Amino acid sequence: PLLIPEINSDKKQLCFEWGPGEMLVCETLFGSTEGKEKRPDCPYVYVVRKDLDIYSQTLRKLFNESHGIFVGLQKDEKEKLGKSRTAQLVRVSKNYRSVIRASMEDSHQLAISTQDPAIHMQHSTEVSTLSAMELIWNLCEIMFIEAAPAGSLLRHLLDWVRLHVCDVDNMLCDVLRSESPAKHKNFWDLTILVLQGRMDEARQLLSKEANTNPTSVGMCKILDELMKKMPVLCPSNTQTLTEMELKWQHWHEACERFLKDGTFASNPHMETLCKILVGDESAILEKKDLMTNWYHFLVTRLLYCHPTVKHVELHLYAQSSMDLFLGAESSPEPLDIILLAAFELDIHQVIKECSIALSNWWFVAHLTDLLDHCNLLQSHNLYFGSNMREYLLLEYASGLFSHHSLWQLAVDYFDHCPEFGRAYLEHHIERIPLDTEHKALKILRICEQRMMTEQVRSICKIMAMKAVRNNRLGSALSWSIRAKDAAFATLISDRFLKEYCERGSFSDLDLIDNLGPSMLLSDRLTFLGKYREFHRMYGEKRFCAAAKLLLTLMTARIAPCSFWMTLLTDALPLLEQKEVIFSAEQTYELMKCLEDVMAAESKNQKLQEDDAETMKVEMLRIGLARNLARAIVKEGTLEES
């Protein structure tokens, strides 16, 4: 349960507003409030996030580094088969575990370096969570991914226990560094080495006892021989499982003989060690405090009772070991239930319990994906159509999308969800805040690569509107062209033309000069591009080409009517050139355009009220008449010659 301060649910109701990765909570009153005491409402609005782990510095590193492993696994999916494929998947699993362990180390360092109790508690909790995740993952690697045969299975389980019981090495170093190791208070805690099958180290400590206590030399020698001769199935051994079982049986009988003969009766510690070697469950359970957990007891029990155990037999020992170790007064924790399900080879129960117990989707999403690549989840589909792998990846990636930078990782996870991934990506990518142009371009590139045309258009429109509000017309035009939004491009082109009328010059000349085929998006944009081209020709003193283009802009009717007077005014300097630029026919066209403008303007009587406009019209008429006369003379002279 999540307790929200300042909110009294007995007196008021709560209002919820759901977002992609969070929820807004506030107090509200419904219905009539007549007769109720008038008091100010609670002013607080709370943001409740469901994926708080994405805001953790350490876990963000975990998410980032595991993303590369995930993507690499998807690419290598069909490259290898058989044993090489299994080896590859085991290697991927170990890579995931190394990332978990590195994050755990980082959290541990942050916990011991801080002075703030709250931050210390937060990082300590992360260490515990990551440690449990690595423990579970390692067991799943042994049970499901590697699936080692009998004999090798126990060796892997011993490595698993040794890895996760970390105080043993510290204890051993502490004892060996003392002046007289055999007299150290923790010397006989060397039993833990025997419980973990670390016989060489146990024999090393036992030799200290023989050197210190002459009365124990004989017993130490016998016990040392028993430890030395204990049969172990090593990877390099060529012996069969049957041979291993026979050797182990002979060794076991030898241990029992020494125990029955009372060889170690005078030394309780050595007697206990011999009892452990013969698999005496009572003697092993007496060392509960050294083992600390039931799965350590399980592995020790298997080591000295059934070293050639097979996968399918493990569940027979797992449940009984947990019951014996915990006793009637203790109930299993969530971690115990998860590990028990793994020993029972129930993959779906492991995933289900991990989903309930862990605070984020990272673990179950990546583990399920890896197990799916091992072809262990093919038969399990969920009732709403998606398979378990895809469902968990979608949940994990959806959580990442609520973070300001981790959303980029989520894109690749959605890409590898064939059924619903694209729909989820389209849904979430529309809700990313477009804070900067750099971020918008990044999102746009993602959408363009995936042919998400609607999202591309939406992002471009949003950015174009932002640019217009900030009076950045060049940027706005660029975004509207990218969106292929003809209406908006027309609107911005009008703004450019209005700006030109007010200032007498264009801003963002580079953009307008390089419109290229984009100017065909709308008539107004075409006009803007061509009008700028006219100015460029005029500046280059290409007067004939400029005059022809200007006339085309007017006669083709792509120029807005309100801009015709500006175009005619632009024609004045060309009319006054020493050389005749406009032909007689072109001059007639210009005259017709002027009369059309006059006819349109006479309706609102603008010219009669504006002396400057009246003067401009008179100058145009004089210029056109003079140019017409010059053009007729020139053309007549050319015809006669």
Side-chain angles (χ1 to χ4, degrees):
L2 178 66
L3 298 177
I4 302 175
E6 306 291 340
I7 287 183
N8 187 347
S9 58
D10 294 333
K11 295 182 179 178
K12 293 186 178 182
Q13 292 177 303
L14 297 182
C15 176
F16 302 93
E17 181 67 29
W18 294 93
E22 56 195 20
M23 175 177 68
L24 297 180
V25 182
C26 62
E27 283 186 333
T28 185
L29 290 172
F30 293 96
S32 173
T33 58
E34 292 179 8
K36 293 187 178 179
E37 179 187 351
K38 296 197 179 223
R39 60 187 182 279
D41 289 338
C42 175
Y44 301 108
V45 175
Y46 294 90
V47 178
V48 181
R49 291 190 173 96
K50 68 176 182 180
D51 286 308
L52 274 178
D53 288 344
I54 64 173
Y55 298 95
S56 161
Q57 175 186 343
T58 308
L59 295 180
R60 277 207 304 276
K61 182 178 177 182
L62 172 70
F63 300 154
N64 275 301
E65 293 190 5
S66 59
H67 164 261
I69 301 171
F70 170 83
V71 173
L73 177 59
Q74 314 311 308
K75 290 179 180 177
D76 296 341
E77 183 175 0
K78 296 180 181 178
E79 288 187 4
K80 296 179 180 178
L81 298 170
K83 288 184 178 179
S84 59
R85 177 63 173 162
T86 301
Q88 180 194 24
L89 293 169
V90 170
R91 188 165 59 252
V92 170
S93 178
K94 288 180 178 177
N95 288 342
Y96 275 126
R97 286 202 292 117
S98 68
V99 171
I100 298 173
R101 190 158 280 273
S103 299
M104 187 165 58
E105 285 295 323
D106 291 343
S107 291
H108 177 67
Q109 290 302 319
L110 290 170
I112 60 178
S113 63
T114 184
Q115 301 296 320
D116 189 326
I119 296 175
H120 175 82
M121 178 60 71
Q122 175 193 337
H123 291 304
S124 297
T125 303
E126 284 178 2
V127 170
S128 301
T129 303
L130 289 166
S131 177
M133 285 163 59
E134 211 250 329
L135 178 75
I136 299 165
W137 192 299
N138 196 350
L139 182 59
C140 290
E141 180 185 301
I142 295 166
M143 300 299 296
F144 304 122
I145 302 169
E146 197 155 14
S152 297
L153 173 60
L154 183 60
R155 189 178 71 251
H156 288 304
L157 291 174
L158 281 169
D159 291 339
W160 173 63
V161 164
R162 292 167 188 168
L163 181 63
H164 295 282
V165 180
C166 305
D167 294 333
V168 178
D169 292 329
N170 295 331
M171 179 271 292
L172 183 61
C173 289
D174 190 38
V175 171
L176 290 173
R177 284 173 186 166
S178 64
E179 292 181 8
S180 179
K183 294 180 180 179
H184 193 281
K185 62 178 182 178
N186 295 328
F187 177 77
W188 287 107
D189 284 351
L190 68 90
T191 308
I192 187 67
L193 298 172
V194 178
L195 293 169
Q196 291 188 359
R198 296 164 67 169
M199 293 307 184
D200 291 339
E201 292 155 291
R203 289 171 59 209
Q204 181 187 1
L205 270 183
L206 200 59
S207 67
K208 305 295 182 184
E209 167 68 10
N211 295 335
T212 307
N213 191 351
T215 59
S216 302
V217 173
M219 288 183 286
C220 287
K221 187 176 181 181
I222 294 169
L223 199 55
D224 180 80
E225 280 295 312
L226 290 175
M227 291 181 184
K228 182 180 178 182
K229 292 180 178 178
M230 180 180 176
V232 178
L233 189 65
C234 299
S236 57
N237 282 3
T238 55
Q239 63 181 340
T240 64
L241 207 58
T242 306
E243 290 172 339
M244 164 67 186
E245 287 175 339
L246 285 171
K247 285 183 180 180
W248 186 86
Q249 192 61 42
H250 288 310
W251 172 83
H252 191 264
E253 288 170 0
C255 293
E256 285 182 328
R257 277 198 305 274
F258 283 115
L259 195 61
K260 288 177 182 177
D261 292 346
T263 305
F264 307 107
S266 61
N267 191 317
H269 294 298
M270 292 196 191
E271 188 175 38
T272 299
L273 287 175
C274 192
K275 285 182 179 179
I276 292 171
L277 294 180
V278 298
D280 187 323
E281 289 182 358
S282 300
I284 297 172
L285 278 173
E286 284 177 9
K287 301 299 178 181
K288 284 176 69 168
D289 294 340
L290 291 176
M291 290 184 289
T292 69
N293 49 64
W294 67 270
Y295 44 90
H296 191 326
F297 170 60
L298 165 65
V299 176
T300 302
R301 186 182 173 197
L302 292 172
L303 177 63
Y304 296 112
C305 296
H306 194 4
T308 55
V309 66
K310 299 181 179 66
H311 280 80
V312 292
E313 299 169 336
L314 269 176
H315 72 279
L316 301 172
Y317 296 93
Q319 183 69 61
S320 61
S321 295
M322 188 172 76
D323 294 341
L324 285 168
F325 192 88
L326 296 179
E329 69 280 359
S330 301
S331 56
E333 298 287 334
L335 179 60
D336 300 324
I337 296 169
I338 293 167
L339 295 177
L340 184 63
F343 282 122
E344 292 174 347
L345 299 177
D346 191 342
I347 295 176
H348 303 121
Q349 190 64 25
V350 170
I351 295 168
K352 177 184 175 183
E353 295 296 338
C354 288
S355 300
I356 296 168
L358 297 174
S359 58
N360 62 72
W361 293 104
W362 178 90
F363 181 85
V364 287
H366 290 83
L367 179 62
T368 304
D369 174 65
L370 185 56
L371 294 174
D372 187 70
H373 280 85
C374 298
N375 298 320
L376 296 171
L377 295 172
Q378 271 25 36
S379 61
H380 193 77
N381 287 325
L382 303 178
Y383 67 90
F384 48 80
S386 178
N387 60 39
M388 183 182 284
R389 170 194 173 273
E390 180 161 325
Y391 171 76
L392 294 172
L393 287 175
L394 291 172
E395 286 297 316
Y396 170 65
S398 296
L400 293 180
F401 248 101
S402 62
H403 191 269
H404 65 88
S405 64
L406 293 178
W407 65 268
Q408 297 172 76
L409 306 181
V411 174
D412 287 324
Y413 288 95
F414 285 140
D415 281 346
H416 292 100
C417 294
E419 193 166 352
F420 296 117
R422 184 180 176 88
Y424 269 66
L425 180 58
E426 290 174 352
H427 173 77
H428 283 286
I429 212 158
E430 291 174 347
R431 287 160 175 75
I432 301 175
L434 303 175
D435 307 319
T436 63
E437 282 208 7
H438 177 71
K439 187 175 181 180
L441 286 169
K442 193 179 289 185
I443 298 167
L444 199 63
R445 191 157 51 248
I446 289 168
C447 294
E448 287 174 343
Q449 287 169 352
R450 290 154 183 80
M451 307 295 288
M452 295 163 59
T453 52
E454 286 301 317
Q455 284 69 30
V456 168
R457 190 174 292 115
S458 173
I459 292 164
C460 291
K461 283 183 178 180
I462 292 168
M463 294 307 295
M465 286 299 296
K466 283 188 175 183
V468 167
R469 288 193 207 103
N470 295 322
N471 203 33
R472 295 169 58 232
L473 296 183
S475 178
L477 182 59
S478 177
W479 284 110
S480 63
I481 289 171
R482 199 158 187 171
K484 295 182 173 55
D485 188 337
F488 205 77
T490 299
L491 175 67
I492 298 168
S493 300
D494 282 337
R495 289 281 293 270
F496 267 110
L497 296 172
K498 182 181 177 184
E499 184 184 72
Y500 173 78
C501 291
E502 293 171 354
R503 298 183 184 177
S505 63
F506 286 111
S507 59
D508 298 289
L509 285 179
D510 284 344
L511 175 66
I512 300 173
D513 285 345
N514 295 285
L515 283 173
S518 300
M519 71 170 66
L520 301 175
L521 182 62
S522 76
D523 287 348
R524 197 62 44 83
L525 186 57
T526 303
F527 170 73
L528 176 64
K530 290 296 181 182
Y531 185 55
R532 168 58 193 154
E533 190 177 334
F534 159 75
H535 276 277
R536 192 167 60 251
M537 289 176 177
Y538 188 88
E540 295 168 357
K541 300 189 183 306
R542 294 159 55 197
F543 298 130
C544 291
K548 184 178 180 181
L549 178 58
L550 184 67
L551 190 63
T552 302
L553 291 176
M554 297 189 69
T555 55
R557 294 295 192 266
I558 62 171
C561 294
S562 59
F563 208 74
W564 277 22
M565 184 57 75
T566 303
L567 293 176
L568 288 166
T569 306
D570 286 333
L572 261 177
L574 295 172
L575 294 169
E576 298 298 330
Q577 293 290 325
K578 290 181 180 180
E579 181 186 353
V580 177
I581 304 298
F582 289 104
S583 67
E585 185 180 351
Q586 289 175 327
T587 307
Y588 283 128
E589 290 286 348
L590 288 173
M591 286 178 167
K592 182 177 184 304
C593 290
L594 177 60
E595 293 308 314
D596 288 344
V597 171
M598 294 297 298
E601 293 290 351
S602 64
K603 294 179 182 178
N604 55 22
Q605 298 183 347
K606 181 180 177 183
L607 290 177
Q608 287 85 339
E609 297 170 4
D610 193 334
D611 293 338
E613 288 293 319
T614 304
M615 179 73 71
K616 192 185 294 183
V617 171
E618 289 302 318
M619 289 176 65
L620 278 168
R621 281 179 171 159
I622 293 169
L624 287 167
R626 188 182 296 139
N627 187 82
L628 180 61
R630 292 165 62 203
I632 290 172
V633 170
K634 179 182 177 182
E635 289 168 14
T637 304
L638 289 172
E639 284 176 9
E640 288 176 5
S641 62

